[in-house]
Amino acid sequence: MSLAALTSAFLLTVTLGYVVKCWLSPFGDCRKCDGMGHDFKTDRKGKTKRGKDCRRCDATGKRIRVGRWIYNRAARTYRAGTR
């Protein structure tokens, strides 16, 4: 098998794997708060306590995946064009 064919097969496998992941689980953990929904901070004694809510995910800890966002946008554009 040539290197080009092997590379193409690998990229196709990775792409299809990501499509299946976006289909089965459209939401992933927020990258800013690591899925916690808030930040940690320490008080003056060094004790950890809950910080402010994450603004990126609105304190849910979940964000829509990039692939699912692209699919939703394309589907919305298609539906709007076929009305």
Side-chain angles (χ1 to χ4, degrees):
M1 209 171 182
S2 70
L3 185 61
L6 190 61
T7 305
S8 298
F10 176 72
L11 288 176
L12 183 65
T13 304
V14 169
T15 304
L16 289 178
Y18 185 69
V19 166
V20 169
K21 185 171 186 160
C22 288
W23 178 56
L24 294 176
S25 176
F27 296 98
D29 288 340
C30 177
R31 293 183 302 272
K32 184 175 181 183
C33 65
D34 294 325
M36 293 293 292
H38 56 83
D39 197 11
F40 288 110
K41 64 184 206 178
T42 55
D43 59 4
R44 289 185 283 171
K45 298 175 188 174
K47 191 175 180 183
T48 13
K49 55 189 257 184
R50 184 187 163 126
K52 292 182 179 179
D53 288 342
C54 180
R55 293 182 348 192
R56 184 179 284 180
C57 65
D58 292 327
T60 60
K62 296 292 181 185
R63 299 257 345 244
I64 193 157
R65 293 187 194 278
V66 175
R68 185 60 184 215
W69 182 85
I70 291 171
Y71 171 76
N72 288 348
R73 182 62 56 104
R76 190 178 309 127
T77 304
Y78 177 77
R79 281 193 304 269
T82 57
R83 284 189 206 166

